[in-house]
Amino acid sequence: MSASNLHMYVMAAPLLSAFFVNLLGRMSKAWVSGLTLGSLAFSSVASLLLLGKVMSSGGFSYTVGNWVPPFGIELIVDHLSALMLVLISVVALFASISALKSVERELPGREHLFFTLYLILIAGLMGLVLTGDAFNLYVLLEITSITTYGLIAMGRGRAPLASFNYIIMGSIGACFYLLGVGYLYLMTGTLNMADIASILPQMDGGAAIATALAFMLVGLWIKMALFPLHGWLPNAYSLAPTGAGLIVAPLMTKVTIYLMLRVMFSIFSPDYLFIANPLVQSGIVWVAALAIVCASSLALAQRNLKRMLTYIIVAEVGYMVGGAWLANSIGMTGAVLHIVNDALMTLCLFLAAAAILYRTGSLDFIHLQGIFRKMPITMAAFTVGAFAMIGVPPTAGFFSKWYLILGGIEAGQWAYVIALLFSSLVNAVLFFRIIEIGYFFKEGEHHDHTPRNEAPLAMQVPLVITAVALIVIGLGSGPLVEHIIKLALPAGF
Amino acid sequence: MDGTLGIIVAKYNYWIYVILMMIGFYAMIGKRNLVKKLIGMNIFQTAIILMFVSSGVKHGAQIPILNKYEVIKHGVDATGVVNPLPHVLMLTAIVVSVSITGVALAILLRIYRQYGTLEEDEILEKLG
């Protein structure tokens, strides 16, 4: 095993085991859990090694099949993509431990099909993070989307309808992105991101280049569900099988935000984005602020835990898009740090929701009464996740929000700062309402009679680890920013 | 031919791409039948394929299949062959489009079995 191929092993492990899960999983269910956990654990270890290597000796680029870029497809391993690889593989590993349990309950006899799609989705996400080629990015984007469509459609009731709406919206998004790539190809004659970036400043592209940027951004915004384009997300994510929600909710939107950063800074430059078009820049921050306020308000109207969480995801997308477009290094640091934190916070809350659903069978607020007595460990972890979402120190959520607010103040974007504070308040209301409901009991029920009925160990262990990780990462955000994220920021910051 | 008409005729393939795209977009947003929405999506994707393939065209150029010995001797005359790269890219895009259509059709089948109809408003009515 050569060390320069580490990132290939990270990506190949889930992709190859996906096929074996499908083949061998038909014969025995033991293969499904063994292969899934084994390959994801392997990926996690390999990606941690890769991050260590990048931190000690810097990033590198890799040419697949020895075709020299810009003709061949180039994979880029730098601080940012190595960090994202670690995030994806670790989140996928923890989510899969819990997902194995809930899929066994919800989709009996179809575990091998579910985990085939699940592993291909993870391989696709890893490919998205690594690729340095604009067209390859489109193909991988569709690989992740198609697997997600399938996973969501495996849910019960209205899930196929939600999945079909997602297909229509997702395809429009991907087609817009492809159109943007087409315009760039027409203007520059190349598809390699670094090559496009080197050609663009020398040419007077004018309207065509601006159109390309607009198409690519709108396409990605549809995929990441930025507020006015978010219509598909709440239904799709809340109706998906629990196991699918566990992986899709923490990772899909966050990886798409990473892609937006790649398009913004690997293809275009801060000069082009921020200095040449200040109106566009502040306009997008305004849209992000609006997204945060509206999505938080919509979350208030929900009466189901999972639906409420999906609207919070939409609000969080606004945080990161706004942070990336603040055009200063503090805002960018906050956006990148929030990608990591938000993935873990969302994972923590969805794991808790999965555990509650496994025991009580419903996530409607009415059925959550007395849940603290029934599942104390699960709810303790849920509370940590909720505090992180609100932004209570020392949980991870506080620090990234702090960076975002400081960045907003430095850029003078007061609407964005107010939106962030408003959303924190709304999150506090949302989660304290659930905590309050959880402490109350049904009428006529005395608390001695509520039996303690915790979720199975396989669902508790990842949940508790994630909750602890939220605090550890919160306390360690200084070194994390200093040694990784500062180096991951694009040139020009 | 001069003026606007000249611009339209000279670049007619790009105008067709825009019109096709708008037809597809309208079908996806405006139609209530789910299969029509899916067909709209296919038209939308086909429009993009037309755009890409148009960009590879050169007037009077040959297909990009060359004699190896000729190329070794004289090199490639880039103006003599059309640009093959957009075609290759679009092969991949067609594969993507076919797989999305396949997944969507499978999901539509499930929806039909569940609700007995593919009209969006009738399904919403049944859901209450």
Side-chain angles (χ1 to χ4, degrees), chain A residues 28 31 57 63 68 73 85 92 194 245 247 256 291-292 345 388 454 460 471:
Chain A
S28 155
W31 280 107
S57 57
T63 48
V68 192
I73 289 170
L85 272 187
I247 184 72
T256 321
I292 297 170
M345 296 187 299
E454 268 293 356
Q460 273 185 57
I471 295 173

Side-chain angles (χ1 to χ4, degrees), chain A residues 105-412:
Chain A
R105 164 83 62 91
E106 285 174 23
L107 301 163
R110 291 199 285 163
E111 288 101 336
H112 59 286
L113 299 174
F114 181 92
F115 280 99
T116 306
L117 289 179
Y118 185 97
L119 288 169
I120 296 176
L121 167 63
I122 291 161
L125 289 172
M126 288 170 170
L128 276 177
V129 166
L130 284 173
T131 186
D133 184 280
F135 187 79
N136 192 231
L137 197 153
Y138 163 76
V139 176
L140 287 161
L141 195 63
E142 285 304 71
I143 290 175
T144 54
S145 297
I146 293 171
T147 45
T148 314
Y149 303 148
L151 284 175
I152 290 171
M154 286 176 113
R156 279 196 214 120
R158 289 177 62 180
L161 202 58
S163 176
F164 187 77
N165 279 333
Y166 183 19
I167 290 182
I168 297 290
M169 288 302 286
S171 299
I172 296 177
C175 286
F176 274 176
Y177 176 81
L178 183 58
L179 262 181
V181 173
Y183 278 49
L184 279 182
Y185 176 68
L186 287 183
M187 297 304 290
T188 63
T190 173
L191 292 163
N192 183 290
M193 288 185 188
D195 205 27
I196 298 176
S198 69
I199 293 173
L200 276 184
Q202 300 155 22
M203 64 188 309
D204 183 24
I209 301 292
T211 315
L213 175 64
F215 270 133
M216 289 169 111
L217 282 180
V218 172
L220 291 175
W221 285 340
I222 295 176
K223 286 274 186 193
M224 74 171 77
L226 185 66
F227 166 66
L229 310 167
H230 73 288
W232 55 268
L233 186 140
N235 269 337
Y237 282 15
S238 60
L239 294 168
T242 317
L246 282 176
I247 184 72
V248 172
L251 288 181
M252 277 297 269
T253 52
K254 261 55 81 180
V255 169
T256 321
I257 288 180
Y258 166 88
L259 296 181
M260 186 184 76
L261 296 180
R262 268 267 180 265
V263 168
M264 282 166 70
F265 302 113
S266 291
I267 298 181
F268 296 92
S269 61
D271 287 348
Y272 180 79
L273 294 167
F274 302 139
I275 296 166
N277 304 301
L279 261 181
V280 175
Q281 182 241 330
S282 58
I284 292 173
V285 177
W286 269 93
V287 170
L290 192 74
I292 297 170
V293 172
C294 294
S296 298
S297 313
L298 284 168
L300 270 175
Q302 305 307 318
R303 289 281 167 273
N304 179 295
L305 179 59
K306 216 172 182 185
R307 278 195 81 80
M308 186 191 96
L309 292 178
T310 58
Y311 280 101
I312 291 178
I313 294 176
V314 178
E316 301 283 323
V317 169
Y319 284 32
M320 288 172 270
V321 172
W325 281 87
L326 283 175
N328 56 39
S329 67
I330 304 179
M332 267 299 293
T333 310
V336 175
L337 185 59
H338 204 72
I339 292 179
V340 178
N341 291 346
D342 191 43
L344 290 172
M345 296 187 299
T346 317
L347 177 69
C348 181
L349 292 171
F350 269 77
L351 280 172
I356 298 170
L357 188 68
Y358 192 85
R359 274 294 172 243
T360 63
S362 168
L363 287 172
D364 292 338
F365 286 170
I366 314 170
H367 296 110
L368 295 180
Q369 285 173 335
I371 198 76
F372 268 91
R373 179 78 43 177
K374 205 170 166 189
M375 313 174 76
I377 299 173
T378 305
M379 287 312 284
F382 177 84
T383 312
V384 174
F387 279 179
M389 226 21 144
I390 299 166
V392 180
T395 51
F398 168 74
F399 294 95
S400 46
K401 210 175 262 187
W402 182 247
Y403 275 109
L404 289 174
I405 289 177
L406 284 183
I409 293 172
E410 191 186 299

Side-chain angles (χ1 to χ4, degrees), chain A residues 13-32:
Chain A
L15 187 60
L16 288 179
S17 53
F19 297 104
F20 289 110
V21 163
N22 198 352
L23 279 177
L24 303 173
R26 284 169 203 275
M27 290 182 271
S28 155
K29 275 200 301 192
W31 280 107
V32 176

